[in-house]
Amino acid sequence: MFKKYRVLKWIGVFIMLLLTITICFVLWLRNALPAREANLEKTEVKDLPYLSQNIIPNRGKILTVVTSTNIMGKSGKSTGYELTELARAYYVFEANGFEVDIASPKGGKAPVIIDDEDMGRYDFAFLNDKVAQQKANNTIPIKDIVSENYKAIYFVGGKGTMFDFPNNETIQTIVKEYYQSNKVIGAVCHGPSALVNVQLDNGRLLLENKKVSSFTNKEELLLISDAKEIFPFLLQDKLTIQGAKFEEGAMYLEKVSHDKNLITGQNPWSTWSLAEKMIEQLGYTLKPRVKTGEENAVTVLNSYYKNDKSKAKEQIERFLLQERKVVDRVLLAKHGIIAAMRGNIGDFINLLSLVDFAKKCEGKSIKI
């Protein structure tokens, strides 16, 4: 009786301690993270010098393709294309002189996923861009596309692509034609599902011996534990089975693979770099662009994972105190939480300390 009482007592103490730690962490996190930029949601193209200044004359057209699928199989979970993966590439293409069209397997208004935490200035500008929204709400049915009209094709990610890209015969035909005629093909995150099952005229699969990146098994299963039951396949597995030389980067950080005219990216954080590599593969010098705070945070995180915390701190100081650039503290904190989810408590503590360090450096930068 008394033994049972003591056990219940210690369970209660443990729960109270856990709640106290959680509350303290939430309060610390609120204080450590920056407030959202004022009027961020009202950003327009005219507010972004990269898009509104030094306009490059028209160089042709690039086709972007998004999913038409709004539900993940029989799971009932909503899906669609990832807004950030479309918006950021769309504006890289436009800034570098290309007109952009948007297609989808079914045409019409495509389902979209908007993750508020990931939204930046370019993403909100896309939502406020009447021309871009007209295209996104009236996508061209892929079967009606005249492939000769475009110099490159870009497949936007989103979990819905896993259901309507791999077996779409029109997508397969366009990808085959573009690859064999040396036109540029880009795909990010789940977008490389468009490359699955593409057979070249020589009878071999497109993916054979190609360097490719996509959303990884680890990234998929961390967020959706039953992904194997929901999706027809795990994308990394399918690409590998079909002969790809899969290149896996750090979880939720930029990784782009470039194999001749085939350019693929691992996740949303790869979008900027992938789109710019497509422009370079087309033979053009990139229009200068100020990197976002999120991109700078990715650089810091890569420095941490490849080196150590001290090197990451040096990178933060260089960005904030010497180069007067922005570092997205929210992304640093997210990676701390991801580390905790994976049971890496050391990384969790180190990454949160980098959040705090970045905040202090920001304070110094303001005073300079």
Side-chain angles (χ1 to χ4, degrees):
M1 177 82 176
F2 290 109
K3 185 177 180 180
K4 182 178 180 181
Y5 172 75
R6 284 198 298 270
V7 170
L8 291 174
K9 178 182 177 181
W10 282 112
I11 291 175
V13 170
F14 174 76
I15 292 173
M16 289 300 296
L17 180 61
L18 190 61
L19 286 172
T20 301
I21 292 172
T22 301
I23 292 169
C24 289
F25 172 69
V26 170
L27 291 174
W28 174 86
L29 199 59
R30 284 182 178 178
N31 182 58
L33 297 182
R36 170 167 282 187
E37 180 184 338
N39 297 318
L40 182 65
E41 295 86 349
K42 297 179 180 180
T43 305
E44 297 182 15
V45 168
K46 64 181 177 62
D47 302 319
L48 302 168
Y50 177 59
L51 303 176
S52 61
Q53 298 177 11
N54 303 316
I55 306 297
I56 294 175
N58 187 275
R59 290 168 167 168
K61 300 175 75 174
I62 291 177
L63 180 65
T64 62
V65 186
V66 299
T67 182
S68 294
T69 301
N70 62 355
I71 298 293
M72 287 187 250
K74 298 179 181 179
S75 70
K77 297 178 181 179
S78 61
T79 187
Y81 71 86
E82 294 286 341
L83 179 85
T84 60
E85 295 174 20
L86 174 60
R88 297 171 190 186
Y90 182 98
Y91 284 136
V92 167
F93 300 151
E94 275 209 339
N96 284 277
F98 290 90
E99 182 183 347
V100 184
D101 282 344
I102 305 174
S104 68
K106 292 182 179 180
K109 186 172 183 178
V112 59
I113 296 297
I114 300 176
D115 189 339
D116 191 56
E117 292 181 353
D118 293 334
M119 295 287 285
R121 301 186 74 202
Y122 288 88
D123 310 309
F124 282 113
F126 187 83
L127 292 179
N128 295 323
D129 185 334
K130 292 181 179 179
V131 174
Q133 287 303 296
Q134 193 278 332
K135 292 179 179 181
N137 292 328
N138 299 275
T139 65
I140 305 167
I142 193 72
K143 64 180 179 61
D144 294 339
I145 287 295
V146 179
S147 59
E148 294 83 1
N149 291 346
Y150 303 93
K151 293 188 174 181
I153 191 168
Y154 168 68
F155 293 97
V156 180
K159 301 184 191 302
T161 66
M162 297 285 284
F163 300 93
D164 62 2
F165 278 11
N167 297 312
N168 186 290
E169 293 182 2
T170 304
I171 287 178
Q172 292 174 5
T173 298
I174 293 174
V175 170
K176 180 186 74 170
E177 290 176 353
Y178 274 36
Y179 183 78
Q180 293 182 158
S181 60
N182 208 35
K183 283 189 174 183
V184 177
I185 302 167
V188 73
C189 200
H190 290 86
S193 60
L195 310 178
V196 170
N197 303 325
V198 176
Q199 190 174 47
L200 304 177
D201 286 341
N202 62 12
R204 306 185 77 87
L205 291 172
L206 165 69
L207 288 166
E208 278 190 42
N209 297 313
K210 303 299 189 306
K211 292 186 290 185
V212 175
S213 292
S214 77
F215 209 57
T216 67
N217 289 354
K218 291 178 182 177
E219 290 170 323
E220 198 79 87
L221 293 169
L222 182 66
L223 299 180
I224 305 179
S225 60
D226 57 346
K228 291 181 180 179
E229 287 71 48
I230 291 176
F231 298 114
F233 51 79
L234 293 183
L235 187 51
Q236 178 180 346
D237 286 347
K238 179 64 87 172
L239 296 173
T240 303
I241 288 169
Q242 295 200 351
K245 297 178 180 177
F246 194 86
E247 297 188 330
E248 183 174 355
M251 289 183 72
Y252 308 114
L253 290 179
E254 176 191 326
K255 173 64 182 176
V256 174
S257 293
H258 190 171
D259 195 319
K260 298 179 181 178
N261 60 323
L262 184 63
I263 305 171
T264 51
Q266 181 168 316
N267 48 41
W269 297 273
S270 309
T271 303
W272 289 111
S273 180
L274 185 151
E276 290 181 331
K277 286 185 184 299
M278 288 181 66
I279 298 298
E280 290 178 324
Q281 183 64 26
L282 284 164
Y284 297 99
T285 299
L286 289 172
K287 181 177 181 179
R289 177 178 65 84
V290 176
K291 289 195 173 185
T292 65
E294 182 182 82
E295 290 174 278
N296 294 334
V298 167
T299 299
V300 170
L301 288 163
N302 273 323
S303 183
Y304 171 76
Y305 288 119
K306 292 178 181 178
N307 301 293
D308 53 34
K309 186 170 73 171
S310 63
K311 292 295 182 182
K313 282 187 171 182
E314 288 177 12
Q315 186 66 66
I316 290 172
E317 287 182 320
R318 189 176 305 118
F319 278 145
L320 294 174
L321 300 180
Q322 297 175 27
E323 301 175 9
R324 309 305 291 273
K325 295 179 179 178
V326 177
V327 173
D328 185 354
R329 282 185 269 140
V330 174
L331 187 56
L332 299 181
K334 283 182 180 179
H335 272 264
I337 294 170
I338 290 168
M341 290 171 64
R342 301 181 68 198
N344 298 332
I345 303 305
D347 285 340
F348 169 70
I349 294 170
N350 286 336
L351 290 167
L352 292 190
S353 74
L354 289 179
V355 174
D356 196 50
F357 183 74
K359 181 182 179 181
K360 291 176 181 177
C361 286
E362 276 187 28
K364 292 179 182 178
S365 177
I366 292 171
K367 293 176 181 178
I368 294 175

